[in-house]
Amino acid sequence: TQLLEQSPQFLSIQEGENLTVYCNSSSVFSSLQWYRQEPGEGPVLLVTVVTGGEVKKLKRLTFQFGDARKDSSLHITAAQPGDTGLYLCAGAWSARQLTFGSGTQLTVLP
Amino acid sequence: ETGVTQTPRHLVMGMTNKKSLKCEQHLGHNAMYWYKQSAKKPLELMFVYNFKEQTENNSVPSRFSPECPNSSHLFLHLHTLQPEDSALYLCASSQVSDMGEQYFGPGTRLTVT
């Protein structure tokens, strides 16, 4: 069983602060996806990282895939209340399975 | 984003009832998925359909029965469920079932009483 651990599980910060959430595994993934899920909705894909060491930026969000493709991080600069949601990482370790982490619930207070 | 729709959005059913969840994708994708999302647990993949053929069944109890009549529609038939089956059931689709980018519907919040 391929497991993805996300940390922290919960994070509450003030608007304007920076934060980083982590996604770790003992397994090597061929690619890793980050999703954001808002209450009452399904997850929405933010980014896919494929190459070890890859860094992708999406406005104030910076995603990094570890060199060994076992871990990833999501950094948010100057967080806004609209960033509130459940952040999920999902690792693809074969063409047949996508393993999701349990998520980081982020709350950005105005 | 209304590429993937699910109905109903909320469902309360007794353990002896039979009900069905419906999913429709308007993205021209060829793969569709059912996931279960329970509180404090990771998303659990239940079934995968690729070009209408079931390619994955992750040891899901037989009280959950999927049906995929075409690449755009996916159903989950429910019967004699247990209270622990209460969860958010999410449908997703992707271009092909290679675990690439998936597009999720809003989910059906199921409560089994």
Side-chain angles (χ1 to χ4, degrees):
Chain A
T1 302
Q2 315 300 318
L3 296 177
L4 276 172
E5 295 185 0
Q6 290 190 243
S7 61
Q9 188 176 356
F10 298 96
L11 184 58
S12 182
I13 61 170
Q14 292 293 136
E15 182 176 2
E17 293 183 354
N18 301 332
L19 66 112
T20 302
V21 298
Y22 301 91
C23 175
N24 295 290
S25 174
S26 57
S27 303
V28 176
F29 291 99
S30 57
S31 66
L32 193 136
Q33 301 166 16
W34 283 94
Y35 292 81
R36 180 172 68 210
Q37 183 177 18
E38 299 184 13
E41 300 297 330
V44 175
L45 180 69
L46 297 173
V47 76
T48 301
V49 286
V50 179
T51 305
E54 181 177 5
V55 176
K56 281 192 174 180
K57 292 191 175 184
L58 185 66
K59 297 184 180 179
R60 293 176 293 99
L61 279 59
T62 301
F63 304 85
Q64 184 162 8
F65 202 12
D67 291 340
R69 290 186 287 130
K70 293 182 178 181
D71 56 88
S72 181
S73 63
L74 159 59
H75 182 79
I76 301 179
T77 303
Q80 299 176 3
D83 296 327
T84 293
L86 178 66
Y87 288 82
L88 298 163
C89 65
W93 53 272
S94 77
R96 301 169 65 87
Q97 289 285 353
L98 190 67
T99 300
F100 280 82
S102 54
T104 293
Q105 180 63 54
L106 171 66
T107 302
V108 182
L109 303 170
Chain B
E1 176 62 54
T2 56
V4 181
T5 58
Q6 289 187 245
T7 55
R9 294 294 306 273
H10 301 272
L11 178 62
V12 179
M13 59 185 290
M15 289 189 284
T16 59
N17 291 159
K18 289 185 179 181
K19 296 287 184 181
S20 295
L21 310 184
K22 179 183 176 181
C23 175
E24 183 174 359
Q25 59 96 359
H26 311 273
L27 301 169
H29 290 165
N30 296 303
M32 297 187 76
Y33 312 79
W34 279 117
Y35 286 88
K36 177 183 178 182
Q37 187 174 36
S38 305
K40 300 182 180 180
K41 292 178 65 176
L43 275 168
E44 300 172 58
L45 179 65
M46 300 175 71
F47 301 104
V48 181
Y49 277 82
N50 195 35
F51 292 94
K52 303 187 299 178
E53 298 296 322
Q54 185 180 130
T55 57
E56 289 290 331
N57 175 340
N58 272 3
S59 302
V60 180
S62 60
R63 57 186 184 269
F64 295 91
S65 175
E67 178 189 0
C68 188
N70 55 62
S71 293
S72 299
H73 293 85
L74 186 64
F75 295 89
L76 188 62
H77 304 298
L78 316 171
H79 64 96
T80 59
L81 294 191
Q82 304 298 311
E84 58 265 28
D85 295 323
S86 298
L88 182 68
Y89 287 85
L90 291 161
C91 172
S93 71
S94 64
Q95 186 60 45
V96 292
S97 65
D98 62 353
M99 295 302 149
E101 300 171 357
Q102 297 187 14
Y103 294 79
F104 284 83
T108 294
R109 173 67 63 186
L110 174 67
T111 303
V112 182
T113 60

